[in-house]
mmCIF file of all heavy atoms in Angstrom:
data_model
loop_
_atom_site.group_PDB
_atom_site.id
_atom_site.type_symbol
_atom_site.label_atom_id
_atom_site.label_comp_id
_atom_site.label_asym_id
_atom_site.label_seq_id
_atom_site.Cartn_x
_atom_site.Cartn_y
_atom_site.Cartn_z
ATOM 1 N N LEU A 302 67.262 124.553 -48.002
ATOM 2 C CA LEU A 302 67.441 123.306 -47.258
ATOM 3 C C LEU A 302 68.788 123.331 -46.548
ATOM 4 O O LEU A 302 69.802 123.683 -47.145
ATOM 5 C CB LEU A 302 67.360 122.106 -48.194
ATOM 6 C CG LEU A 302 65.969 121.777 -48.735
ATOM 7 C CD1 LEU A 302 66.046 120.614 -49.710
ATOM 8 C CD2 LEU A 302 65.018 121.443 -47.605
ATOM 9 N N ARG A 400 73.706 117.106 -49.628
ATOM 10 C CA ARG A 400 73.064 118.272 -50.238
ATOM 11 C C ARG A 400 74.100 119.279 -50.707
ATOM 12 O O ARG A 400 74.015 119.827 -51.819
ATOM 13 C CB ARG A 400 72.136 118.941 -49.228
ATOM 14 C CG ARG A 400 70.844 118.199 -48.944
ATOM 15 C CD ARG A 400 70.096 118.918 -47.848
ATOM 16 N NE ARG A 400 68.875 118.244 -47.458
ATOM 17 C CZ ARG A 400 68.280 118.413 -46.281
ATOM 18 N NH1 ARG A 400 68.816 119.253 -45.400
ATOM 19 N NH2 ARG A 400 67.166 117.775 -45.998
ATOM 20 N N LEU A 422 69.613 110.921 -51.658
ATOM 21 C CA LEU A 422 68.775 111.823 -50.870
ATOM 22 C C LEU A 422 67.291 111.483 -51.005
ATOM 23 O O LEU A 422 66.514 111.689 -50.067
ATOM 24 C CB LEU A 422 69.022 113.274 -51.292
ATOM 25 C CG LEU A 422 70.332 113.890 -50.796
ATOM 26 C CD1 LEU A 422 70.637 115.176 -51.533
ATOM 27 C CD2 LEU A 422 70.274 114.124 -49.289
ATOM 28 N N LEU A 423 66.882 110.972 -52.148
ATOM 29 C CA LEU A 423 65.493 110.546 -52.317
ATOM 30 C C LEU A 423 65.123 109.470 -51.314
ATOM 31 O O LEU A 423 63.977 109.395 -50.853
ATOM 32 C CB LEU A 423 65.275 110.039 -53.733
ATOM 33 C CG LEU A 423 65.120 111.108 -54.823
ATOM 34 C CD1 LEU A 423 65.253 110.491 -56.199
ATOM 35 C CD2 LEU A 423 63.775 111.801 -54.677
ATOM 36 N N GLU A 424 66.091 108.635 -50.951
ATOM 37 C CA GLU A 424 65.846 107.575 -49.984
ATOM 38 C C GLU A 424 65.940 108.087 -48.549
ATOM 39 O O GLU A 424 65.171 107.666 -47.684
ATOM 40 C CB GLU A 424 66.866 106.451 -50.184
ATOM 41 C CG GLU A 424 66.863 105.864 -51.591
ATOM 42 C CD GLU A 424 68.110 105.040 -51.846
ATOM 43 O OE1 GLU A 424 68.899 104.878 -50.896
ATOM 44 O OE2 GLU A 424 68.296 104.559 -52.974
ATOM 45 N N LEU A 425 66.860 109.005 -48.316
ATOM 46 C CA LEU A 425 67.134 109.447 -46.954
ATOM 47 C C LEU A 425 66.212 110.567 -46.485
ATOM 48 O O LEU A 425 66.025 110.759 -45.287
ATOM 49 C CB LEU A 425 68.591 109.917 -46.843
ATOM 50 C CG LEU A 425 69.657 108.860 -47.143
ATOM 51 C CD1 LEU A 425 71.029 109.509 -47.242
ATOM 52 C CD2 LEU A 425 69.666 107.805 -46.043
ATOM 53 N N ASP A 426 65.667 111.330 -47.406
ATOM 54 C CA ASP A 426 64.883 112.516 -47.046
ATOM 55 C C ASP A 426 63.607 112.576 -47.878
ATOM 56 O O ASP A 426 63.448 113.445 -48.743
ATOM 57 C CB ASP A 426 65.750 113.773 -47.270
ATOM 58 C CG ASP A 426 65.053 115.042 -46.827
ATOM 59 O OD1 ASP A 426 64.164 114.961 -45.963
ATOM 60 O OD2 ASP A 426 65.400 116.117 -47.360
ATOM 61 N N PRO A 427 62.680 111.663 -47.662
ATOM 62 C CA PRO A 427 61.458 111.620 -48.485
ATOM 63 C C PRO A 427 60.598 112.866 -48.363
ATOM 64 O O PRO A 427 59.779 113.139 -49.235
ATOM 65 C CB PRO A 427 60.735 110.379 -47.960
ATOM 66 C CG PRO A 427 61.280 110.157 -46.577
ATOM 67 C CD PRO A 427 62.701 110.611 -46.620
ATOM 68 N N GLU A 428 60.763 113.625 -47.298
ATOM 69 C CA GLU A 428 59.951 114.830 -47.108
ATOM 70 C C GLU A 428 60.153 115.825 -48.247
ATOM 71 O O GLU A 428 59.242 116.572 -48.601
ATOM 72 C CB GLU A 428 60.295 115.478 -45.771
ATOM 73 C CG GLU A 428 59.463 116.708 -45.452
ATOM 74 C CD GLU A 428 59.801 117.300 -44.103
ATOM 75 O OE1 GLU A 428 60.529 116.637 -43.329
ATOM 76 O OE2 GLU A 428 59.336 118.409 -43.812
ATOM 77 N N ASN A 429 61.356 115.845 -48.824
ATOM 78 C CA ASN A 429 61.665 116.780 -49.902
ATOM 79 C C ASN A 429 61.781 116.066 -51.249
ATOM 80 O O ASN A 429 62.529 116.493 -52.126
ATOM 81 C CB ASN A 429 62.973 117.523 -49.594
ATOM 82 C CG ASN A 429 62.842 118.430 -48.390
ATOM 83 O OD1 ASN A 429 62.092 119.397 -48.411
ATOM 84 N ND2 ASN A 429 63.571 118.113 -47.327
ATOM 85 N N ARG A 430 61.015 115.008 -51.409
ATOM 86 C CA ARG A 430 61.116 114.188 -52.614
ATOM 87 C C ARG A 430 60.859 115.002 -53.890
ATOM 88 O O ARG A 430 61.548 114.829 -54.901
ATOM 89 C CB ARG A 430 60.128 113.021 -52.539
ATOM 90 C CG ARG A 430 60.257 112.056 -53.705
ATOM 91 C CD ARG A 430 59.382 110.823 -53.534
ATOM 92 N NE ARG A 430 59.576 109.890 -54.645
ATOM 93 C CZ ARG A 430 60.559 109.022 -54.725
ATOM 94 N NH1 ARG A 430 61.461 108.951 -53.756
ATOM 95 N NH2 ARG A 430 60.667 108.218 -55.761
ATOM 96 N N ASP A 431 59.881 115.891 -53.862
ATOM 97 C CA ASP A 431 59.571 116.658 -55.069
ATOM 98 C C ASP A 431 60.756 117.516 -55.507
ATOM 99 O O ASP A 431 61.036 117.640 -56.710
ATOM 100 C CB ASP A 431 58.326 117.509 -54.857
ATOM 101 C CG ASP A 431 58.457 118.463 -53.670
ATOM 102 O OD1 ASP A 431 59.283 118.183 -52.769
ATOM 103 O OD2 ASP A 431 57.732 119.476 -53.639
ATOM 104 N N ILE A 432 61.456 118.082 -54.536
ATOM 105 C CA ILE A 432 62.609 118.928 -54.862
ATOM 106 C C ILE A 432 63.714 118.107 -55.501
ATOM 107 O O ILE A 432 64.294 118.490 -56.520
ATOM 108 C CB ILE A 432 63.126 119.638 -53.601
ATOM 109 C CG1 ILE A 432 62.030 120.526 -52.998
ATOM 110 C CG2 ILE A 432 64.375 120.453 -53.909
ATOM 111 C CD1 ILE A 432 61.571 121.624 -53.914
ATOM 112 N N TYR A 433 64.025 116.959 -54.898
ATOM 113 C CA TYR A 433 65.099 116.117 -55.429
ATOM 114 C C TYR A 433 64.739 115.567 -56.811
ATOM 115 O O TYR A 433 65.605 115.443 -57.681
ATOM 116 C CB TYR A 433 65.405 114.983 -54.462
ATOM 117 C CG TYR A 433 65.837 115.452 -53.093
ATOM 118 C CD1 TYR A 433 65.368 114.829 -51.937
ATOM 119 C CD2 TYR A 433 66.712 116.521 -52.944
ATOM 120 C CE1 TYR A 433 65.754 115.258 -50.678
ATOM 121 C CE2 TYR A 433 67.107 116.954 -51.689
ATOM 122 C CZ TYR A 433 66.620 116.324 -50.556
ATOM 123 O OH TYR A 433 67.020 116.747 -49.313
ATOM 124 N N ARG A 471 62.764 126.464 -51.139
ATOM 125 C CA ARG A 471 63.744 125.383 -51.120
ATOM 126 C C ARG A 471 64.625 125.383 -52.362
ATOM 127 O O ARG A 471 65.679 124.749 -52.372
ATOM 128 C CB ARG A 471 63.029 124.036 -50.996
ATOM 129 C CG ARG A 471 62.322 123.804 -49.681
ATOM 130 C CD ARG A 471 61.534 122.509 -49.711
ATOM 131 N NE ARG A 471 60.443 122.564 -50.674
ATOM 132 C CZ ARG A 471 59.695 121.505 -51.028
ATOM 133 N NH1 ARG A 471 59.960 120.326 -50.495
ATOM 134 N NH2 ARG A 471 58.721 121.641 -51.894
#
Side-chain angles (χ1 to χ4, degrees):
L302 288 177
R400 286 175 183 158
L422 285 166
L423 282 166
E424 303 165 5
L425 299 170
D426 184 25
E428 182 178 349
N429 294 295
R430 185 173 182 82
D431 57 337
I432 300 298
Y433 301 138
R471 293 174 295 171

